[in-house]
Amino acid sequence: MSDKQAYEKKLEAQIDEWNADIDKLKAKAKKASADAEADYEKEIDKLESRRDDMNDKLEELKSASEDAWEDVKDGAESAWSSMSDAVSSAASRF
């Protein structure tokens, strides 16, 4: 397996983990009061948007050639960091 393929698998696994985290927040939102539920929904929308950005970066990475994927990786790393921070923040707030 090439470094590119290994990195793709790593991103896919992380996105799956973030999807599970978002699902947990959705479950908590359903149990929350109306005011708290609105806060949850706003945070979930932000997380889903960042996750979608991460999916876009993954697709860009997959379509990059073996020679060019390192350049795409930098953007993916930035999106990954942003998403990780957002998930951690949301989990600690709720």
Side-chain angles (χ1 to χ4, degrees):
M1 181 181 298
S2 71
D3 288 345
K4 179 181 179 244
Q5 290 171 324
Y7 191 75
E8 289 171 6
K9 294 289 184 198
K10 181 178 171 183
L11 285 181
E12 288 170 348
Q14 186 60 58
I15 290 169
D16 288 343
E17 187 176 317
W18 288 328
N19 285 333
D21 291 339
I22 291 170
D23 288 343
K24 288 176 190 174
L25 286 174
K26 286 179 179 179
K28 284 184 179 181
K30 288 181 182 179
K31 296 178 183 176
S33 67
D35 290 339
E37 185 175 3
D39 289 339
Y40 272 107
E41 291 299 326
K42 189 183 297 183
E43 197 67 32
I44 289 167
D45 287 344
K46 288 179 189 176
L47 290 175
E48 288 176 331
S49 176
R50 286 189 175 158
R51 186 224 28 230
D52 292 345
D53 290 344
M54 196 68 234
N55 275 322
D56 291 345
K57 290 292 181 189
L58 177 60
E59 291 306 313
E60 188 178 339
L61 183 72
K62 285 180 177 182
S63 66
S65 69
E66 283 291 329
D67 295 331
W69 83 272
E70 286 287 342
D71 295 332
V72 177
K73 181 181 174 187
D74 292 338
E77 289 289 329
S78 177
W80 182 322
S81 177
S82 178
M83 182 65 183
S84 292
D85 292 345
V87 169
S88 294
S89 175
S92 67
R93 287 183 44 211
F94 300 108

